[in-house]
Amino acid sequence: MEIRCATLADLDALAGAEALCFPPAEAAGLDSLRGRLLAYPGHFWLLWAGERLVSYVNGPVTEQPDLADWMYHDPSVHQENGAWQMIFGVGTIPQFQGRGCAGQVLRRVIADAAAQGRRGLVLTCKPQLIGYYASFGFADEGPSPSQHGGALWHQMRLTLPATVR
């Protein structure tokens, strides 16, 4: 398996995986993914098994310390030298779930954020995933004001050590 950053040529594979990984109200559509890929392709980490996209993590970098719903719809939020790596989506297609694929990609994202001098990473997750993200060092900051997809979300933050900034 190989982890690499996305290109626009990956759009269809990414849209297909997004549709498999998230309910329709939460999944990013083709146009949204295209806008994000054009704005920050280096912040889409894709795990491939041969020619098949099996897992991915994506999101912009910004100076904003908290993830807000409007960010999902505005690729211009991305600031390449921003302090916070936001994570919009962590997905693994159903046939590969339970094999540690998302964890491989998350560890790469965390390492890249540290190498890039970020203050940390921020994501929102459903309550049943708090423990999963905590296992990577994310701290639960409580319920998020997010209304994304009509679900209840918790904001999670991983603050990187000051020595890597």
Side-chain angles (χ1 to χ4, degrees):
M1 291 201 197
E2 170 195 17
I3 298 174
R4 66 169 174 77
C5 289
T7 69
L8 200 51
D10 299 315
L11 178 60
D12 288 338
L14 189 56
E18 182 85 359
L20 289 172
C21 294
F22 293 98
E26 296 170 20
L30 192 66
D31 289 339
S32 179
L33 289 168
R34 180 182 293 109
R36 294 176 192 179
L37 276 170
L38 289 170
Y40 45 91
H43 298 276
F44 275 78
W45 293 264
L46 311 178
L47 177 65
W48 294 87
E51 297 294 315
R52 187 171 197 185
L53 175 60
V54 298
S55 191
Y56 62 94
V57 174
N58 71 86
V61 177
T62 180
E63 284 296 318
Q64 301 290 321
D66 297 311
L67 200 158
D69 286 351
W70 65 267
M71 293 176 174
Y72 292 105
H73 309 290
D74 186 359
S76 71
V77 68
H78 179 71
Q79 300 167 286
E80 188 59 40
N81 295 316
W84 297 99
Q85 173 67 60
M86 297 292 157
I87 296 179
F88 282 177
V90 175
T92 300
I93 64 170
Q95 301 90 321
F96 283 80
Q97 290 177 358
R99 299 184 191 183
C101 295
Q104 287 180 45
V105 185
L106 274 170
R107 283 186 287 280
R108 168 73 177 272
V109 173
I110 293 165
D112 285 357
Q116 294 162 359
R118 309 284 179 219
R119 288 192 61 202
L121 301 92
V122 178
L123 59 83
T124 57
C125 70
K126 293 176 179 170
Q128 63 269 26
L129 292 172
I130 290 171
Y132 176 73
Y133 291 111
S135 74
F136 293 92
F138 285 84
D140 180 15
E141 296 182 333
S144 164
S146 177
Q147 300 294 310
H148 184 68
L152 172 63
W153 302 95
H154 277 244
Q155 181 162 285
M156 306 284 292
R157 182 179 312 272
L158 190 162
T159 303
L160 294 168
T163 57
V164 298
R165 283 187 231 142

